[in-house]
Amino acid sequence: MNQSWNKHQGVAVPLYRKDIDTDQILPKQFMKKVERTGFGKHLFHNWRYLDDDGLQEDPDFVLNQSRYRSASVLVAGENFGCGSSREHAPWSLADFGFRAVVAPSFADIFFGNCAKNGIALIKLTLTEVEEILTYIRENEGAEVTINLDTLVLIAGKKEYHFSLSSSLLERITNGWDDIDLTMKFLSRIEDFESSLV
């Protein structure tokens, strides 16, 4: 089961690039495990590090700056999460500690994969995303608050309303993945199996 949450307050980090794909989020050479843990250290590996082994950080990359090291909300550009449908990219975001990504648009399959891993994808207009980017860039260590009960993100003194389907909200607020959803019907599954004997 994933970490469940209804309300989150955390440092927001700007990574305002278009078309950040799943191979940029987690390069293919790190997709060798089937467990969900241990991927956070490889998140944005090719951007975070100057070497292949991940021993030398690039001081210019935003997540390596002291004010963003504890970030848990990512603010990105259009079409975030495009590319491969593999679930490893959301695993790396969740393992790093991200609870939400804010962007003008997302890849469809990535949307569902993130919800399975406790990450809310918050779609706002381009203007709204740029307002939030300005706020977090001008206020060092700025935090945003996300409330899944009211579907509101608060940045500074401004509220931004968003939508998420009830099925995705159910996954995130309960910390459910596909196995957890299946286990909700365990008694019915057992009854069916008994009827076959």
Side-chain angles (χ1 to χ4, degrees):
M1 182 174 281
N2 301 310
Q3 180 178 339
S4 59
W5 63 278
N6 292 69
K7 189 173 183 181
H8 176 74
Q9 183 174 357
V11 172
V13 57
L15 189 58
Y16 198 49
R17 305 181 188 189
K18 290 183 181 181
D19 303 315
I20 295 177
D21 65 34
T22 51
D23 287 327
Q24 291 165 325
I25 296 169
L26 184 72
K28 62 184 180 303
Q29 65 266 32
F30 302 112
M31 298 183 190
K32 297 175 183 174
K33 299 193 315 176
V34 292
E35 303 88 7
R36 298 183 191 191
T37 58
F39 289 102
K41 64 183 176 182
H42 302 300
L43 177 68
F44 301 120
H45 184 93
N46 293 338
W47 295 341
R48 282 171 67 194
Y49 303 106
L50 297 172
D51 63 318
D52 291 339
D53 295 326
L55 301 175
Q56 186 179 359
E57 290 185 348
D58 182 345
D60 294 328
F61 185 64
V62 67
L63 280 180
N64 294 332
Q65 297 170 15
S66 58
R67 64 177 173 169
Y68 296 124
R69 284 188 182 274
S70 63
S72 56
V73 178
L74 180 66
V75 184
E78 297 170 83
N79 200 28
F80 186 84
C82 57
S84 167
S85 61
R86 290 171 296 203
E87 205 172 331
H88 294 73
W91 290 354
S92 66
L93 286 163
D95 193 56
F96 185 88
F98 281 108
R99 292 288 162 260
V101 181
V102 181
S105 58
F106 298 93
D108 289 341
I109 295 174
F110 188 75
F111 221 103
N113 283 342
C114 279
K116 290 184 209 177
N117 290 281
I119 302 169
L121 298 188
I122 298 172
K123 183 179 177 182
L124 298 176
T125 67
L126 190 61
T127 300
E128 290 172 326
V129 171
E130 288 177 347
E131 285 178 0
I132 294 169
L133 283 164
T134 298
Y135 168 71
I136 61 179
R137 284 173 176 154
E138 291 179 353
N139 297 274
E140 184 166 345
E143 295 187 340
V144 299
T145 300
I146 299 164
N147 190 324
L148 297 182
D149 295 325
T150 58
L151 297 177
V152 170
L153 180 151
I154 300 171
K157 297 180 180 179
K158 190 159 184 180
E159 293 187 353
Y160 299 88
H161 297 265
F162 60 92
S163 62
L164 274 176
S165 71
S166 57
S167 62
L168 296 182
L169 280 171
E170 184 180 44
R171 284 180 179 274
I172 297 166
T173 57
N174 290 289
W176 290 339
D177 60 15
D178 288 342
I179 294 172
D180 297 314
L181 285 175
T182 302
M183 294 305 288
K184 285 175 57 181
F185 302 101
L186 181 60
S187 61
R188 290 171 61 182
I189 293 168
E190 289 174 339
D191 289 345
F192 175 75
E193 288 176 341
S194 297
S195 71
L196 299 175
V197 178

